[in-house]
Amino acid sequence: MLTIDVSRRTVLRVAAAGGAGVGLAGTGLVTSGPAAPASAGQRTDFTDPARKLRIAILLFDGVTAVDAIGPYEVLCRIPGADVMTVGRQAGRVRTDTGVLTLGVDHTLSQVRTADVLLVPGGNVRDVQADPETMRWIQRLHRHTTWTVSVCTGSLVLGAAGLLRGLPATTYWALKTELARFGATFVPGRFVEAGRIMTAAGMSAGIDMSLHLAAKLAGDRIAQALQLVVEYDPQPPFDTGSPDKAGPELTSLALRLLRNSGAR
């Protein structure tokens, strides 16, 4: 019986040996020059090998898995990135379907600063109603370079008072909820407002994370990261928004969403 090792490490070694790889200087992973041009949210040269990029991802019971994991797969590969999963207590949290679990490595009290704070969506009402978590988000946001959300994570940022007077986006079925927090809904895969970014539903978190990676480490790194995760969407259907899907499919989508809740 023939056994084939198809681990990613093996693939990378073979590719490099065959000449498919390029030197570090060619990728931009080694740099002695300045970082990408500064923006409203960029204050530090994260391409400096001596400078760790601290990224905190909030996890909670009821989180939507792809909201956290999609961005994680991009952001964890930025050179110098140190990704932390943070929650009220260390251990496992169960995702919104009630099937998957994700691991929390750090409690809120253990993480006092971060360069990037990422708040995923899901069943967020308990998070919004938790004073400890809301205070933690507010405290971290004072010193972040970027505070970002995916899907209904924007409603958590809104509840923390961070979106007043700002354009923002969220999951399509809950776009009117943003007005409760003084934000203005803007359609789009993600919206950048100062040093806050909000992404639309679920898969949009990958789009936002690639944009964020470009802000933090430059376009070349972000472009390479898009290849790393092979993000080259070619969906078989064109029904990814209510406008394109129409009323019947929109109604079906909402039923499917409700039926996939925790069980």
Side-chain angles (χ1 to χ4, degrees):
M1 179 178 177
L2 177 65
T3 300
I4 302 175
D5 183 348
V6 292
S7 73
R8 276 188 288 186
R9 290 183 184 276
T10 300
V11 171
L12 291 172
R13 285 199 299 269
V14 172
V22 295
L24 287 178
T27 66
L29 292 177
V30 175
T31 176
S32 58
S39 69
Q42 187 175 6
R43 297 194 297 266
T44 307
D45 181 2
F46 292 121
T47 60
D48 179 357
R51 173 71 165 92
K52 280 291 184 182
L53 168 62
R54 289 168 55 86
I55 301 172
I57 300 178
L58 178 67
L59 295 181
F60 49 88
D61 281 315
V63 66
T64 297
V66 71
D67 289 6
I69 299 303
Y72 165 80
E73 290 289 351
V74 173
L75 300 177
C76 74
R77 294 178 172 86
I78 295 175
D82 178 16
V83 180
M84 305 166 285
T85 54
V86 191
R88 287 209 61 178
Q89 54 189 8
R92 295 180 178 180
V93 295
R94 196 163 289 278
T95 62
D96 55 355
T97 63
V99 178
L100 296 177
T101 59
L102 299 176
V104 175
D105 290 332
H106 304 275
T107 64
L108 301 177
S109 61
Q110 290 175 327
V111 178
R112 298 183 177 276
T113 62
D115 300 300
V116 176
L117 166 61
L118 188 146
V119 179
N123 299 330
V124 298
R125 289 186 178 179
D126 288 345
V127 179
Q128 292 172 309
D130 177 38
E132 182 182 0
T133 303
M134 290 295 100
R135 286 194 296 268
W136 179 78
I137 290 172
Q138 292 164 342
R139 184 169 63 247
L140 245 67
H141 174 67
R142 294 190 192 109
H143 304 290
T144 58
T145 301
W146 293 98
T147 297
V148 304
S149 67
V150 181
C151 199
T152 53
S154 61
L155 304 182
V156 177
L157 297 187
L162 305 186
L163 297 183
R164 291 192 190 99
L166 296 181
T169 193
T170 191
Y171 190 63
W172 58 267
L174 294 169
K175 61 184 182 182
T176 58
E177 292 291 306
L178 285 171
R180 293 175 48 210
F181 306 111
T184 300
F185 174 77
V186 176
R189 295 290 281 174
F190 59 88
V191 174
E192 180 180 339
R195 59 191 181 92
I196 293 179
M197 288 187 204
T198 52
M202 301 185 187
S203 64
I206 300 176
D207 298 56
M208 180 193 69
S209 297
L210 289 168
H211 180 70
L212 177 59
K215 293 288 187 180
L216 294 168
D219 287 355
R220 190 166 178 80
I221 292 293
Q223 290 164 353
L225 289 173
Q226 181 173 350
L227 180 57
V228 166
V229 299
E230 200 168 350
Y231 186 57
D232 187 21
Q234 299 176 41
F237 308 107
D238 189 20
T239 56
S241 72
D243 292 340
K244 296 177 180 178
E248 183 180 350
L249 282 177
T250 297
S251 178
L252 175 58
L254 290 172
R255 291 202 304 273
L256 293 173
L257 186 64
R258 285 194 296 269
N259 291 342
S260 66
R263 51 187 179 270

